[in-house]
Amino acid sequence: FAGGASYYLPLVFPREEPRLRPFLTLRHSDPPSFSAWRDAFLWFMQKVTYRDSITRPLPGGRKGSPRPLLIKSPVHVGRMHLWLKMFPQARYIYIHRNPVEVFQSAAHMADTYYWYTYLQSPSHEELTQFILRQYEILFSEYTQYKDAVPDQHLIQVSFEELEADPLGTLRKIYDRFGWSSRFEAMVPRFTAYCKEGLKDFKRNQHNRLSPEMEACVRHRWGDSFKMFGYSC
């Protein structure tokens, strides 16, 4: 791959997933590949930070200082061993959800979006295994390294509580990270977004899993059911 390797490439070349799997955790990549990925990622982070600092003018024409970046790509959960070294002051928000719903959501995305990106057509079984395996790897990496994160730098929240009480959940996150003094100033913006920005939002309707597929999910992802208190 002349343009560089990424674990998003299986969405284009799904049959190459086994060869690209090391780029999910970047634990077993060869040094040249890892160095190229690290340098490209840091360059991207620097560009986004710089763009924020020059496009957010303050009164009097002054430029604003760059704000912390919020990176939400799920694959980064598999790289906590790197973030602990590269960004020791980083904060982590881990949002968990009933694993059955996670699988339904991932399958829905694969059925409605991935087909626009494929240059190779996977079988149904290959796609199912891709979803199951990715979750297992990310969950394993998270549970292995979460205890190495300082308590005040990590918070776990459920999708259900975020959906039911977004403002209260945000307050809990700010409190955990020691940002309580900043929260009140943000309440009007958060409230406006929840009221106006989300007013037309509709959750996707997911297909019900077959009894066999649901049993497979509960078996393969059983540890996450137990860890987050979802009924097995």
Side-chain angles (χ1 to χ4, degrees):
F1 300 99
S6 163
Y7 195 67
Y8 286 109
L9 278 174
L11 303 187
V12 182
F13 303 105
R15 293 199 295 270
E16 298 293 331
E17 191 276 335
R19 186 155 69 96
L20 292 161
R21 200 174 300 163
F23 285 88
L24 180 55
T25 64
L26 295 166
R27 186 190 297 280
H28 304 297
S29 302
D30 63 278
S33 296
F34 170 71
S35 297
W37 179 91
R38 180 197 58 204
D39 293 346
F41 184 73
L42 287 173
W43 177 233
F44 167 75
M45 300 276 275
Q46 290 166 349
K47 287 193 295 183
V48 174
T49 300
Y50 176 72
R51 182 181 184 277
D52 183 59
S53 69
I54 66 172
T55 58
R56 193 166 57 93
L58 298 176
R62 295 178 293 116
K63 302 298 182 183
S65 59
R67 294 169 291 186
L69 296 180
L70 178 61
I71 307 298
K72 63 178 288 290
S73 301
V75 295
H76 289 318
V77 175
R79 299 159 183 169
M80 288 184 67
H81 64 104
L82 289 179
W83 306 149
L84 289 166
K85 297 176 182 177
M86 295 171 63
F87 309 109
Q89 297 303 313
R91 269 70 168 179
Y92 302 86
I93 305 169
Y94 189 93
I95 303 175
H96 58 84
R97 188 179 186 181
N98 187 307
V100 171
E101 295 181 10
V102 172
F103 186 91
Q104 289 175 307
S105 178
H108 175 84
M109 184 175 183
D111 289 342
T112 59
Y113 172 73
Y114 288 178
W115 292 101
Y116 292 98
T117 67
Y118 290 148
L119 293 180
Q120 297 172 340
S121 295
S123 67
H124 176 75
E125 178 61 20
E126 287 173 329
L127 189 54
T128 298
Q129 292 303 317
F130 171 75
I131 295 171
L132 289 168
R133 187 185 305 109
Q134 186 181 78
Y135 185 99
E136 289 169 341
I137 293 172
L138 296 181
F139 179 76
S140 175
E141 291 292 314
Y142 175 69
T143 55
Q144 184 174 352
Y145 287 99
K146 68 181 182 65
D147 291 338
V149 181
D151 286 345
Q152 68 274 21
H153 286 187
L154 171 67
I155 187 170
Q156 295 179 169
V157 299
S158 71
F159 177 82
E160 292 77 13
E161 67 178 310
L162 178 62
E163 186 177 48
D165 183 14
L167 200 62
T169 304
L170 285 171
R171 184 184 295 276
K172 184 166 70 171
I173 292 170
Y174 269 64
D175 289 346
R176 182 57 171 263
F177 293 161
W179 299 341
S180 301
S181 61
R182 309 180 193 178
F183 184 78
E184 293 305 325
M186 297 299 297
V187 167
R189 296 179 64 179
F190 290 151
T191 302
Y193 178 76
C194 291
K195 183 177 180 180
E196 299 297 329
L198 298 178
K199 66 179 181 181
D200 296 324
F201 173 77
K202 295 181 181 179
R203 289 179 60 179
N204 291 322
Q205 298 298 310
H206 299 144
N207 294 328
R208 185 178 181 84
L209 301 184
S210 69
E212 295 78 12
M213 191 68 251
E214 182 169 337
C216 178
V217 171
R218 292 183 180 278
H219 172 69
R220 293 275 297 264
W221 296 356
D223 288 344
S224 63
F225 281 89
K226 295 175 185 177
M227 178 172 172
F228 299 121
Y230 295 104
S231 173
C232 293

